[in-house]
Amino acid sequence: MQQIADAAGVSVTTVSHALSGKRPVNPDTAARIHRLIDQFQYVPDAGARRLQSGRSRTIGLAVPDISHWYFGRIARGVEEAANEADHGLVVASTANADPRRERRYFTMLSTRAIDGLIYASSRSTAEIDELARLARSAPLVLADEPIESIDVPSVSTTVYEGALEAVTLLKALGHERVVAVAGYQGLPSTLARTRALHEVFPGALTFYGDFEVESGYRILGDLLAADLRFTAVFAHNDNMAIGAMRRLQDAGLRVPEDVSIIGFDDTDAATMVTPALTTVRKDMVEVGRQSGRLLLDRLNGTPVAKQDSVLLPTELVVRGSTGPAPATPRPSSS
Amino acid sequence: MQQIADAAGVSVTTVSHALSGKRPVNPDTAARIHRLIDQFQYVPDAGARRLQSGRSRTIGLAVPDISHWYFGRIARGVEEAANEADHGLVVASTANADPRRERRYFTMLSTRAIDGLIYASSRSTAEIDELARLARSAPLVLADEPIESIDVPSVSTTVYEGALEAVTLLKALGHERVVAVAGYQGLPSTLARTRALHEVFPGALTFYGDFEVESGYRILGDLLAADLRFTAVFAHNDNMAIGAMRRLQDAGLRVPEDVSIIGFDDTDAATMVTPALTTVRKDMVEVGRQSGRLLLDRLNGTPVAKQDSVLLPTELVVRGSTGPAPATPRPSSS
DNA sequence: CTGTTAGCGCTTTCAC
DNA sequence: GTGAAAGCGCTAACAG
């Protein structure tokens, strides 16, 4: 900047103001300065700016695993929002329960490498205390899974309503015996889906998985081995639904003739499997985008509190994996 | 830091040195300082440090779309490497051909918000000139797709060898008529796979897609409509292989009895489809990890040049979508 | 409209 | 073994 100032025959102050427009500058001088800036390919130093202003124009995103479809979608939305506002985005994995890693985002906030954080949890809500503490000292937004007990704004989806639509469909198709392959126990969305399930099928059994394909496969294997009778499976996400479907097909059962399956998320894979999966769509990119906007609004001074939380709609997508309940439940001991 | 210095009754200089260890400090004083640091929860300001040292301890990753499985895997590997070296990672999307967006990583480098960049392209190599220019002014590593014409180190996989294994398998199964559903034309990896294909099946036809499921579906539709006869499809990635498989199945053809299909990547979806996809595995997380390490080595002074490029192995994974060639090519005009 | 001056929080000579 | 002081590149009073 000094270089530009010298070349233009003015002080750095004037260059700074010509750039920011925070005070009037002689049009001629301004033009000259801008020409020089282009010529020298000058770009103001981000670090110096940060040091001066206290803001890094960068936000953080903490996710368990950036390579998962689910968090990748969130990340994409956040990145779009950050980009719109001309902010950078740094991502940090919280997975592996490596303590140093777990605190990484905390450190980034303290060192002011980032101005605020979007936190997407998926596992337990064990980190509540830490998040509550964090929220006191820095702007924080929860993406996807809200936490009722602390005063932090969140962006989530109408999981309960979506699940209700899903199980209502099963009911309408005549299903009576449905089992749930659930997500992490204790997770708000798991609770919501279970609540919706029981609304329609009060006594329905629930088995907890970990959201991965394998767990759907394994749980269904156990159910078959135990000779449990059911005509429909309500999985808390598409991955587990797909695992469940594979296990049933491996056992010679037909989907949906013998057993109907319904998933959640509407991942890319939902249309790749045969039959295509009936599922509840959640727009995770939008969740990310709105989380980003919420955080950025807050950074720009707009006060944002818990009541500004956003709830995005879900949508039931009916495809081939659901059908009328068979007369006799097929997985039977007979 | 001033606060700590005051409380400890020393100067900031001593605190700084107690922290960095760059010059001896009285053990007692050092202990006292460290105690105070813990107590005040002091963390040095990243911006100030950067301004002084010129290094931001942050690297950048430019990908077309962070939400894609492929780039998500790379991102995860890079994040791991960055984390190991206690560096931050900022991601920027290059997609959408939005010019401002395209230059985002360039700006980040100029403003020194990041110390170096990992660039993962997937589309054309039109950005060569810009990358060459970039490489002159900042540490750059190419992930996945090397560019021969410029002197930039890269981390990629043995695509040619993998493809050769794949088509050799088809040959061994007795296939004679194989068609390729290829990736972006002009991409080095597309070229390599095509070269391998022609090594074994000199006259094999190639149709170009865009790496998405849809394009595999569409291309196979065209081939069926044109009454082309073939017994095997060599797709340049799993997505297109899955699209191709769906199209064949929709047409009533059986995989692999009528047509064998082979993909590339070994995505999660490869084992979700029926039959499971025979494919060539590439460890994209490792590609990301090694790219990150290469860049970080370079930032730490180890000179890294083109000849330090890394080539990671691929592995043929035989699953259910490939089988012996049928006596008569089924998609036929008869 | 423009320049001078004083820091932002840290590291690093140069002295003692 | 420790301090004082300069300065990284920028912005923001405070004066003209």
Side-chain angles (χ1 to χ4, degrees), chain A residues 43 45-46 50-51 65 72 76 79 83 86-91 93 100-101 104 111 246 271-273, chain B residues 43 45-46 50-51 65 67 76 79 83 86-91 93 100-101 104 111 246 271-273:
Chain A
V43 186
D45 182 279
R50 214 224 39 56
L51 186 55
D65 178 357
R76 173 169 164 186
E79 203 269 340
N83 190 57
D86 201 37
H87 275 237
L89 171 67
V90 354
V91 302
S93 284
R100 217 190 76 232
R101 201 161 180 148
R104 201 166 167 63
T111 64
R246 275 200 90 70
T271 56
M272 295 183 185
V273 294
Chain B
V43 186
D45 181 280
R50 214 220 47 49
L51 186 55
D65 178 357
S67 76
R76 173 168 162 184
E79 203 270 339
N83 189 57
D86 201 37
H87 275 238
L89 172 68
V90 355
V91 302
S93 284
R100 219 190 74 233
R101 202 160 182 151
R104 202 167 166 62
T111 64
R246 277 200 89 71
T271 56
M272 295 183 185
V273 295

Side-chain angles (χ1 to χ4, degrees), chain B residues 175-209:
Chain B
H175 294 273
E176 296 289 347
R177 295 163 175 276
V178 5
V179 298
V181 175
Y184 291 120
Q185 199 168 3
L187 208 58
S189 66
T190 298
L191 261 34
R193 281 179 279 233
T194 302
R195 200 153 44 82
L197 172 68
H198 287 158
E199 195 85 20
V200 177
F201 299 103
L205 262 31
T206 292
F207 301 89
Y208 295 95

Side-chain angles (χ1 to χ4, degrees), chain A residues 14-308:
Chain A
T14 304
V15 176
S16 172
H17 286 281
L19 224 37
S20 68
K22 291 204 178 173
R23 91 180 185 188
V25 173
N26 182 306
D28 284 359
T29 322
R32 188 151 31 93
I33 291 174
H34 278 114
R35 212 168 324 112
L36 262 349
I37 285 178
D38 280 356
Q39 191 180 319
F40 284 78
Q41 299 242 53
Y42 166 80
V43 186
D45 182 279
R49 247 182 169 153
R50 214 224 39 56
L51 186 55
Q52 168 67 28
S53 69
R55 318 243 283 96
S56 60
R57 298 191 68 76
T58 300
I59 61 176
L61 170 66
V63 288
D65 178 357
I66 185 70
S67 76
H68 262 51
W69 179 88
Y70 200 77
F71 301 111
R73 303 296 286 184
I74 294 180
R76 173 169 164 186
V78 173
E79 203 269 340
E80 282 178 20
N83 190 57
E84 275 171 19
D86 201 37
H87 275 237
L89 171 67
V90 354
V91 302
S93 284
T94 54
N96 293 357
D98 168 359
R100 217 190 76 232
R101 201 161 180 148
E102 289 278 344
R103 317 241 153 216
R104 201 166 167 63
Y105 49 85
F106 180 72
T107 308
M108 292 191 309
L109 281 170
S110 333
T111 64
R112 342 215 78 203
I114 58 178
D115 296 336
L117 182 72
I118 292 171
Y119 188 89
S121 134
S122 126
R123 213 153 266 265
S124 67
T125 41
E127 55 281 89
I128 288 187
D129 288 348
E130 179 160 355
L131 287 176
R133 212 168 336 112
L134 217 59
R136 244 190 300 287
S137 61
L140 181 67
V141 168
L142 298 175
D144 197 37
E145 293 284 354
I147 300 180
E148 291 305 331
S149 58
I150 58 179
D151 181 34
V152 176
S154 63
V155 175
S156 47
T157 53
T158 57
V159 175
Y160 172 76
E161 290 78 358
L164 202 56
E165 266 194 275
V167 294
T168 301
L169 169 68
L170 293 178
K171 182 78 171 183
L173 288 168
H175 293 274
E176 297 289 347
R177 295 162 176 278
V178 6
V179 297
V181 175
Y184 290 123
Q185 200 168 1
L187 207 60
S189 67
T190 299
L191 261 33
R193 281 180 278 236
T194 302
R195 200 152 46 80
L197 172 69
H198 286 160
E199 195 86 19
V200 176
F201 299 102
L205 262 31
T206 291
F207 301 89
Y208 294 96
D210 64 1
F211 286 127
E212 300 301 328
V213 176
E214 253 328 298
S215 73
Y217 192 89
R218 185 180 41 72
I219 289 170
L220 263 286
D222 293 348
L223 300 190
L224 291 176
D227 265 341
L228 189 71
R229 284 163 43 172
F230 54 91
T231 64
V233 175
F234 171 48
H236 283 201
N237 79 346
D238 287 354
N239 280 347
M240 296 193 295
I242 288 169
M245 187 153 90
R246 275 200 90 70
R247 187 65 189 85
L248 289 170
Q249 290 172 337
D250 283 357
L253 292 166
R254 293 161 306 160
V255 177
E257 291 81 357
D258 298 321
V259 178
S260 283
I261 298 186
I262 199 158
F264 222 102
D265 290 350
D266 194 23
T267 62
D268 293 339
T271 56
M272 295 183 185
V273 294
T274 312
L277 205 58
T278 293
T279 188
V280 178
R281 175 178 300 158
K282 297 165 70 174
D283 188 345
M284 299 316 295
V285 175
E286 190 60 24
V287 168
R289 200 180 285 127
Q290 303 252 7
S291 301
R293 295 218 184 109
L294 206 60
L295 182 61
L296 289 160
D297 281 351
R298 187 158 160 203
L299 292 177
N300 288 329
T302 319
V304 171
K306 195 180 182 59
Q307 62 270 22
D308 295 300

